[in-house]
Structure formats: structure tokens, C-alpha cells
Amino acid sequence: MPRNDKYKQNVPYPILSDAPNIETAMQALVNTIVPLGVMRFSDANARAATFDSETPLVPGMVSYLIAEDRWDRLDGDLVWRPLTPGPWKPLTFASGYSAESGSPGYRIVNGEVQLRGVFRRSNGSDLITLNDQLFCTLPAEARPTASRLFVTAANFTTNGGVSRFTGRIGVLTNGQMMYLMPAGSTSDFLSLDGIRFSLT
């Protein structure tokens, strides 16, 4: 009967009293070791096609995707989470809003969403100051499990001559991103740089 490695990773190796069968012995060894190392795939689709009932997913697996140039880990919910920064993905703006500068986008790194860029109203007018305004909706992969609020940089002055340079960004669990500006303010942009939040 095979024995397991001393590091308690359940990697089997044959012993002298086992019936001689090199194929069986090596198959058990290889199939146990491979998921414990870094598995390499051409892309995420190739990785997804690899796993089935005979090659199950196991939490803690690590993979490297060649096309994406990214390392991922498999969490307890059997979801692949990026360990290293993947490419920035562009934001899809709501009607009436568009990118100003900085290539507005998001990326996910080890369970954290990071945002960047500056947005404005498409017609070039100042941002609206009455109530929270929807300007973007994040895709399902980048939505938090609880709503988040952030203070962010703006470019405006309030009535009365007092200068202020911040606004508020809210990220809801349905992915909607809202901004709120102080009453009486005038600003033509808001920045998303530096906003980051956990997915859990």
C-alpha cells in the first residue's frame, strides 16, 4: 500500500511490498502533485475546459494564464481570483457621461477592485448637484457585497466663493456607481483614482 509524503500533502509513493505496476504508481503520483503546483494554461477558457468530474477543482489551486499574463488562486467558493494585476478593463458609462482622462477603468487584484481615471458629463456641462447621480455600472465580477462610500477629487468652487475640491462616490452591491456633489457647487469632473474596495 503506498505511503504519503512527510509534508502531509497526501502525495503517494510506492513501497517495495506493492504489486509492481509503474503506470498505476506514477499516475497517482503525478495526478496528486500537479494540482499542488502552479498549473499553466493558454488562457481562462482553456483552464475552464480542463476541469470536470474527473479533474475537480480544489480550493487553494494556483494557475498562470499565458494570454492574460496573470496568476490566479482558487478560493473556497471555487472562484478563480487574480493574485497579480490583470489588464485594466474600461468602464461602461451611463447615458450622459463619458471619460475625461486617465482611461477610466477597473481591475481586480487578489479579491480587491481598483478604479482609475476621470469622468465628466458628455455634453461638457458641470456635474449635477441634486441628489446622487448614476454615472456607471460595474460588471458582476467587480461588485462589492456591501455598499461603499468614497471621498474623491473634484474641480469646483461653491457659491459664496469658498473653494472645495472633493465629491463623493458610492458603489452599490448591484454595481451602480453614484456621485454626489455639494449643493451650489460647480465642477466639470470627478476622479476615480485611488478608489479600491474588497469584493467580500
Side-chain angles (χ1 to χ4, degrees), residues 164-181:
R164 302 184 187 277
F165 301 96
T166 58
R168 189 187 79 185
I169 298 286
V171 185
L172 308 183
T173 57
N174 62 3
Q176 290 186 341
M177 296 180 65
M178 320 282 284
Y179 72 84
L180 180 65
M181 305 296 291

PDB file of all heavy atoms in Angstrom, residues 164-181:
ATOM      1  N   ARG A 164     -13.772  74.321  -2.765  1.00  0.00           N
ATOM      2  CA  ARG A 164     -13.707  72.957  -2.258  1.00  0.00           C
ATOM      3  C   ARG A 164     -13.313  72.058  -3.425  1.00  0.00           C
ATOM      4  O   ARG A 164     -13.608  72.350  -4.568  1.00  0.00           O
ATOM      5  CB  ARG A 164     -15.052  72.518  -1.663  1.00  0.00           C
ATOM      6  CG  ARG A 164     -15.538  73.416  -0.531  1.00  0.00           C
ATOM      7  CD  ARG A 164     -16.817  72.895   0.075  1.00  0.00           C
ATOM      8  NE  ARG A 164     -17.350  73.831   1.031  1.00  0.00           N
ATOM      9  CZ  ARG A 164     -16.967  73.940   2.300  1.00  0.00           C
ATOM     10  NH1 ARG A 164     -16.021  73.130   2.761  1.00  0.00           N
ATOM     11  NH2 ARG A 164     -17.508  74.820   3.108  1.00  0.00           N
ATOM     12  N   PHE A 165     -12.666  70.946  -3.111  1.00  0.00           N
ATOM     13  CA  PHE A 165     -12.112  70.127  -4.173  1.00  0.00           C
ATOM     14  C   PHE A 165     -12.407  68.638  -3.991  1.00  0.00           C
ATOM     15  O   PHE A 165     -11.607  67.804  -4.367  1.00  0.00           O
ATOM     16  CB  PHE A 165     -10.594  70.351  -4.270  1.00  0.00           C
ATOM     17  CG  PHE A 165     -10.242  71.772  -4.537  1.00  0.00           C
ATOM     18  CD1 PHE A 165      -9.918  72.625  -3.496  1.00  0.00           C
ATOM     19  CD2 PHE A 165     -10.274  72.276  -5.822  1.00  0.00           C
ATOM     20  CE1 PHE A 165      -9.611  73.954  -3.740  1.00  0.00           C
ATOM     21  CE2 PHE A 165      -9.970  73.603  -6.078  1.00  0.00           C
ATOM     22  CZ  PHE A 165      -9.643  74.451  -5.034  1.00  0.00           C
ATOM     23  N   THR A 166     -13.562  68.324  -3.424  1.00  0.00           N
ATOM     24  CA  THR A 166     -13.930  66.916  -3.241  1.00  0.00           C
ATOM     25  C   THR A 166     -15.403  66.686  -3.554  1.00  0.00           C
ATOM     26  O   THR A 166     -16.219  67.598  -3.463  1.00  0.00           O
ATOM     27  CB  THR A 166     -13.674  66.428  -1.796  1.00  0.00           C
ATOM     28  OG1 THR A 166     -14.415  67.247  -0.885  1.00  0.00           O
ATOM     29  CG2 THR A 166     -12.202  66.455  -1.447  1.00  0.00           C
ATOM     30  N   GLY A 167     -15.710  65.439  -3.923  1.00  0.00           N
ATOM     31  CA  GLY A 167     -17.069  64.970  -4.097  1.00  0.00           C
ATOM     32  C   GLY A 167     -17.154  63.581  -3.480  1.00  0.00           C
ATOM     33  O   GLY A 167     -16.190  63.097  -2.891  1.00  0.00           O
ATOM     34  N   ARG A 168     -18.299  62.950  -3.605  1.00  0.00           N
ATOM     35  CA  ARG A 168     -18.475  61.615  -3.035  1.00  0.00           C
ATOM     36  C   ARG A 168     -18.860  60.622  -4.112  1.00  0.00           C
ATOM     37  O   ARG A 168     -19.678  60.929  -4.989  1.00  0.00           O
ATOM     38  CB  ARG A 168     -19.565  61.634  -1.954  1.00  0.00           C
ATOM     39  CG  ARG A 168     -19.640  60.331  -1.167  1.00  0.00           C
ATOM     40  CD  ARG A 168     -20.823  60.331  -0.227  1.00  0.00           C
ATOM     41  NE  ARG A 168     -22.057  60.043  -0.952  1.00  0.00           N
ATOM     42  CZ  ARG A 168     -23.273  60.076  -0.411  1.00  0.00           C
ATOM     43  NH1 ARG A 168     -23.428  60.423   0.854  1.00  0.00           N
ATOM     44  NH2 ARG A 168     -24.341  59.791  -1.133  1.00  0.00           N
ATOM     45  N   ILE A 169     -18.252  59.438  -4.048  1.00  0.00           N
ATOM     46  CA  ILE A 169     -18.584  58.330  -4.945  1.00  0.00           C
ATOM     47  C   ILE A 169     -19.144  57.189  -4.107  1.00  0.00           C
ATOM     48  O   ILE A 169     -18.553  56.809  -3.095  1.00  0.00           O
ATOM     49  CB  ILE A 169     -17.339  57.822  -5.711  1.00  0.00           C
ATOM     50  CG1 ILE A 169     -16.751  58.909  -6.595  1.00  0.00           C
ATOM     51  CG2 ILE A 169     -17.682  56.568  -6.519  1.00  0.00           C
ATOM     52  CD1 ILE A 169     -17.542  59.217  -7.840  1.00  0.00           C
ATOM     53  N   GLY A 170     -20.266  56.640  -4.520  1.00  0.00           N
ATOM     54  CA  GLY A 170     -20.840  55.471  -3.863  1.00  0.00           C
ATOM     55  C   GLY A 170     -20.848  54.289  -4.823  1.00  0.00           C
ATOM     56  O   GLY A 170     -21.128  54.450  -6.012  1.00  0.00           O
ATOM     57  N   VAL A 171     -20.508  53.110  -4.320  1.00  0.00           N
ATOM     58  CA  VAL A 171     -20.545  51.881  -5.114  1.00  0.00           C
ATOM     59  C   VAL A 171     -21.530  50.938  -4.439  1.00  0.00           C
ATOM     60  O   VAL A 171     -21.325  50.533  -3.291  1.00  0.00           O
ATOM     61  CB  VAL A 171     -19.154  51.215  -5.210  1.00  0.00           C
ATOM     62  CG1 VAL A 171     -19.217  50.002  -6.137  1.00  0.00           C
ATOM     63  CG2 VAL A 171     -18.110  52.207  -5.700  1.00  0.00           C
ATOM     64  N   LEU A 172     -22.616  50.586  -5.142  1.00  0.00           N
ATOM     65  CA  LEU A 172     -23.663  49.750  -4.568  1.00  0.00           C
ATOM     66  C   LEU A 172     -23.447  48.280  -4.907  1.00  0.00           C
ATOM     67  O   LEU A 172     -22.668  47.928  -5.792  1.00  0.00           O
ATOM     68  CB  LEU A 172     -25.029  50.200  -5.084  1.00  0.00           C
ATOM     69  CG  LEU A 172     -25.350  51.704  -4.932  1.00  0.00           C
ATOM     70  CD1 LEU A 172     -26.767  51.989  -5.408  1.00  0.00           C
ATOM     71  CD2 LEU A 172     -25.162  52.158  -3.484  1.00  0.00           C
ATOM     72  N   THR A 173     -24.149  47.409  -4.193  1.00  0.00           N
ATOM     73  CA  THR A 173     -23.977  45.968  -4.392  1.00  0.00           C
ATOM     74  C   THR A 173     -24.453  45.499  -5.761  1.00  0.00           C
ATOM     75  O   THR A 173     -24.051  44.436  -6.221  1.00  0.00           O
ATOM     76  CB  THR A 173     -24.718  45.179  -3.302  1.00  0.00           C
ATOM     77  OG1 THR A 173     -26.108  45.559  -3.306  1.00  0.00           O
ATOM     78  CG2 THR A 173     -24.134  45.473  -1.926  1.00  0.00           C
ATOM     79  N   ASN A 174     -25.302  46.276  -6.420  1.00  0.00           N
ATOM     80  CA  ASN A 174     -25.741  45.915  -7.777  1.00  0.00           C
ATOM     81  C   ASN A 174     -24.798  46.475  -8.844  1.00  0.00           C
ATOM     82  O   ASN A 174     -25.085  46.395 -10.043  1.00  0.00           O
ATOM     83  CB  ASN A 174     -27.171  46.385  -8.037  1.00  0.00           C
ATOM     84  CG  ASN A 174     -27.317  47.898  -7.960  1.00  0.00           C
ATOM     85  OD1 ASN A 174     -26.343  48.622  -7.760  1.00  0.00           O
ATOM     86  ND2 ASN A 174     -28.540  48.378  -8.103  1.00  0.00           N
ATOM     87  N   GLY A 175     -23.678  47.056  -8.399  1.00  0.00           N
ATOM     88  CA  GLY A 175     -22.676  47.577  -9.316  1.00  0.00           C
ATOM     89  C   GLY A 175     -22.865  49.027  -9.700  1.00  0.00           C
ATOM     90  O   GLY A 175     -21.987  49.623 -10.331  1.00  0.00           O
ATOM     91  N   GLN A 176     -24.002  49.618  -9.342  1.00  0.00           N
ATOM     92  CA  GLN A 176     -24.228  51.017  -9.707  1.00  0.00           C
ATOM     93  C   GLN A 176     -23.244  51.923  -8.967  1.00  0.00           C
ATOM     94  O   GLN A 176     -23.019  51.775  -7.767  1.00  0.00           O
ATOM     95  CB  GLN A 176     -25.659  51.436  -9.380  1.00  0.00           C
ATOM     96  CG  GLN A 176     -26.692  50.799 -10.283  1.00  0.00           C
ATOM     97  CD  GLN A 176     -28.082  51.336 -10.019  1.00  0.00           C
ATOM     98  OE1 GLN A 176     -28.365  51.903  -8.965  1.00  0.00           O
ATOM     99  NE2 GLN A 176     -28.973  51.156 -10.983  1.00  0.00           N
ATOM    100  N   MET A 177     -22.668  52.853  -9.720  1.00  0.00           N
ATOM    101  CA  MET A 177     -21.768  53.845  -9.137  1.00  0.00           C
ATOM    102  C   MET A 177     -22.444  55.212  -9.227  1.00  0.00           C
ATOM    103  O   MET A 177     -22.875  55.639 -10.300  1.00  0.00           O
ATOM    104  CB  MET A 177     -20.420  53.832  -9.861  1.00  0.00           C
ATOM    105  CG  MET A 177     -19.673  52.517  -9.691  1.00  0.00           C
ATOM    106  SD  MET A 177     -18.084  52.494 -10.551  1.00  0.00           S
ATOM    107  CE  MET A 177     -17.203  53.749  -9.648  1.00  0.00           C
ATOM    108  N   MET A 178     -22.526  55.872  -8.083  1.00  0.00           N
ATOM    109  CA  MET A 178     -23.238  57.150  -7.982  1.00  0.00           C
ATOM    110  C   MET A 178     -22.267  58.224  -7.482  1.00  0.00           C
ATOM    111  O   MET A 178     -21.340  57.930  -6.735  1.00  0.00           O
ATOM    112  CB  MET A 178     -24.395  57.032  -6.985  1.00  0.00           C
ATOM    113  CG  MET A 178     -25.164  55.720  -7.037  1.00  0.00           C
ATOM    114  SD  MET A 178     -26.327  55.619  -8.393  1.00  0.00           S
ATOM    115  CE  MET A 178     -27.649  56.646  -7.797  1.00  0.00           C
ATOM    116  N   TYR A 179     -22.503  59.454  -7.907  1.00  0.00           N
ATOM    117  CA  TYR A 179     -21.726  60.554  -7.341  1.00  0.00           C
ATOM    118  C   TYR A 179     -22.664  61.552  -6.692  1.00  0.00           C
ATOM    119  O   TYR A 179     -23.850  61.648  -7.035  1.00  0.00           O
ATOM    120  CB  TYR A 179     -20.851  61.238  -8.401  1.00  0.00           C
ATOM    121  CG  TYR A 179     -21.594  62.092  -9.404  1.00  0.00           C
ATOM    122  CD1 TYR A 179     -21.929  63.425  -9.121  1.00  0.00           C
ATOM    123  CD2 TYR A 179     -21.944  61.588 -10.652  1.00  0.00           C
ATOM    124  CE1 TYR A 179     -22.602  64.208 -10.049  1.00  0.00           C
ATOM    125  CE2 TYR A 179     -22.614  62.365 -11.582  1.00  0.00           C
ATOM    126  CZ  TYR A 179     -22.943  63.670 -11.274  1.00  0.00           C
ATOM    127  OH  TYR A 179     -23.614  64.445 -12.190  1.00  0.00           O
ATOM    128  N   LEU A 180     -22.144  62.284  -5.719  1.00  0.00           N
ATOM    129  CA  LEU A 180     -22.904  63.330  -5.038  1.00  0.00           C
ATOM    130  C   LEU A 180     -22.010  64.557  -4.890  1.00  0.00           C
ATOM    131  O   LEU A 180     -20.877  64.447  -4.423  1.00  0.00           O
ATOM    132  CB  LEU A 180     -23.366  62.854  -3.655  1.00  0.00           C
ATOM    133  CG  LEU A 180     -24.170  63.871  -2.835  1.00  0.00           C
ATOM    134  CD1 LEU A 180     -25.506  64.183  -3.517  1.00  0.00           C
ATOM    135  CD2 LEU A 180     -24.409  63.353  -1.423  1.00  0.00           C
ATOM    136  N   MET A 181     -22.527  65.698  -5.338  1.00  0.00           N
ATOM    137  CA  MET A 181     -21.802  66.954  -5.246  1.00  0.00           C
ATOM    138  C   MET A 181     -22.518  67.876  -4.263  1.00  0.00           C
ATOM    139  O   MET A 181     -23.744  67.850  -4.168  1.00  0.00           O
ATOM    140  CB  MET A 181     -21.731  67.628  -6.621  1.00  0.00           C
ATOM    141  CG  MET A 181     -21.131  66.747  -7.718  1.00  0.00           C
ATOM    142  SD  MET A 181     -19.425  66.337  -7.421  1.00  0.00           S
ATOM    143  CE  MET A 181     -18.684  67.949  -7.664  1.00  0.00           C
TER     144      MET A 181
END
